Amino acid sequence: MTAAKLFGICLRICGERASAEDVLQTVYIKVWERAGQFDAARASPITWLATIARNGAIDWRRSVSGRTVRDTLPEQAAFAVADDSPLADQSLVAAEEGEQLHRCLGELEDRTRLCIRAAFFDGSTYAELATRENVPLGTMKSWIRRGLLRLKDCLGDG
């Protein structure tokens, strides 16, 4: 039930399907090993899983930096890909949730919104963002944490 979302996170950060699949496998192994550490008071299950996936994909990206990856397959390989398209009702719900998320992101300060997007949609690390914005790492973490709390309130999860 969580594979599509977590695979999407891994694929977005890794940029290649095979590596994202490998990272996702590693993520599920970590989840299995750390299941006893889950604390429902700190985060929802999907948030916890998404965080593990994001961190795993970032770790993979760091490990391959400097190496050339991304071998391309022949065009015919595209026909072998299964159609994982969501059902119509799932698409509608996802679209509504996406609109609400974009509306809530729009209510954040520009700086906070851009940092959250870079961290969670592009896979940038907090350290990379702190360097890019020329602020201490603790400041970057605080900006993002406060922004996420505002998003949570806006989305009605808090």
Side-chain angles (χ1 to χ4, degrees):
M1 292 177 61
T2 60
K5 180 175 182 94
L6 299 183
F7 180 71
I9 292 168
C10 294
L11 184 59
R12 172 90 185 209
I13 295 170
C14 293
E16 51 187 51
R17 186 176 185 90
S19 296
E21 289 170 352
D22 291 342
V23 169
L24 184 60
Q25 178 66 30
T26 305
V27 165
Y28 280 120
I29 291 169
K30 285 181 184 177
V31 168
W32 180 259
E33 293 171 347
R34 299 177 185 172
Q37 297 173 3
F38 172 69
D39 181 3
R42 293 186 64 199
S44 69
I46 193 64
T47 302
W48 183 67
L49 292 169
T51 301
I52 293 172
R54 177 183 172 273
N55 292 341
I58 289 172
D59 289 345
W60 173 86
R61 195 173 88 184
R62 286 179 183 149
S63 74
V64 298
S65 63
R67 285 193 275 161
T68 302
V69 290
R70 298 187 188 238
D71 293 332
T72 57
L73 297 173
E75 205 172 306
Q76 295 79 8
F79 296 112
V81 177
D83 183 10
D84 294 330
S85 300
L87 300 174
D89 62 332
Q90 293 171 328
S91 295
L92 291 172
V93 169
E96 288 175 9
E97 290 173 348
E99 288 174 17
Q100 184 180 11
L101 177 61
H102 287 291
R103 181 184 53 78
C104 291
L105 277 168
E107 293 177 9
L108 297 175
E109 290 180 26
D110 289 342
R111 167 185 72 192
T112 304
R113 179 178 56 255
L114 293 173
C115 290
I116 288 175
R117 283 183 175 277
F120 293 94
F121 298 140
D122 298 335
S124 297
T125 65
Y126 290 1
E128 291 169 345
L129 292 171
T131 301
R132 186 169 31 201
E133 293 291 322
N134 198 27
V135 297
L137 179 59
T139 300
M140 179 55 62
K141 288 180 179 180
S142 294
W143 287 358
I144 292 176
R145 172 106 174 108
R146 284 192 300 265
L148 291 174
L149 289 173
R150 281 188 237 124
L151 275 179
K152 184 178 178 182
D153 286 342
C154 179
L155 293 170
D157 291 338

